[in-house]
Amino acid sequence: MSRYISEKLRIKVIEEANNCCEYCLQSNLVSFYPHQIDHIISLKHGGKTELDNLAYACFACNNAKGSDIGTILLPNRTFIRLFNPRIDNWYEHFEIENGVIYDKSDIGKATIKVLNLNEVDRVIERQDMYS
Ligand SMILES: [Zn+2]
């Protein structure tokens, strides 16, 4: 398992993501901290350092996600995996209105929870971005 991400692979991930966080859609161009390369399935869960397992993520999303791959949702206490930008379509799991990201599926709900997508400062930042 290698943590090293070559410059070529890094550029490919950024291009595929259109320079935006693949979880909250924030552009790297307006972000205070530079976006990072995220292992969708973390190394400790067996994820590999290859394009199919890498996503472009803003600092806030990547920091909140850490090595998590899912969460338990109430009331059923069911394990739900996180949104995977390589296999899932963002608009099938989320919608955004006035800076707030809403879930359209349990995967969306789990991801909003773990990545803290609607933390107040982040919502305000998105509202400023789109106004
Ligand atoms: Zn983000």
Side-chain angles (χ1 to χ4, degrees):
M1 292 192 294
S2 173
R3 249 173 229 286
Y4 175 72
I5 303 169
S6 71
E7 188 64 21
K8 189 176 168 187
L9 188 52
R10 186 176 295 273
I11 289 168
K12 184 83 178 147
V13 172
I14 294 169
E15 282 175 358
E16 296 256 324
N18 205 18
N19 209 17
C20 294
C21 175
E22 298 188 76
Y23 297 103
C24 73
L25 306 185
Q26 186 194 48
S27 170
N28 188 41
L29 302 175
V30 298
S31 179
F32 184 75
Y33 295 106
H35 285 17
Q36 305 169 337
I37 306 293
D38 165 56
H39 283 82
I40 297 166
I41 305 297
S42 56
L43 295 170
K44 79 184 213 184
H45 290 294
K48 296 198 170 18
T49 303
E50 55 191 28
L51 190 60
D52 283 352
N53 190 46
L54 297 174
Y56 204 39
C58 71
F59 176 81
C61 282
N62 202 25
N63 193 45
K65 181 173 175 284
S67 62
D68 290 347
I69 56 174
T71 190
I72 305 292
L73 288 185
L74 299 175
N76 299 331
R77 298 174 185 257
T78 312
F79 177 81
I80 305 292
R81 70 171 174 86
L82 297 179
F83 173 75
N84 181 331
R86 295 286 74 79
I87 61 173
D88 299 319
N89 179 311
W90 198 91
Y91 294 95
E92 287 178 10
H93 296 281
F94 309 98
E95 57 190 350
I96 186 166
E97 189 178 323
N98 197 24
V100 179
I101 296 174
Y102 296 94
D103 63 81
K104 292 168 72 178
S105 68
D106 280 351
I107 287 172
K109 191 178 292 182
T111 306
I112 288 170
K113 174 186 162 188
V114 173
L115 275 60
N116 203 14
L117 294 182
N118 289 318
E119 190 267 323
V120 171
D121 288 344
R122 300 181 72 186
V123 170
I124 292 170
E125 194 175 10
R126 282 195 291 269
Q127 288 169 337
D128 288 346
M129 196 167 70
Y130 294 113
S131 61

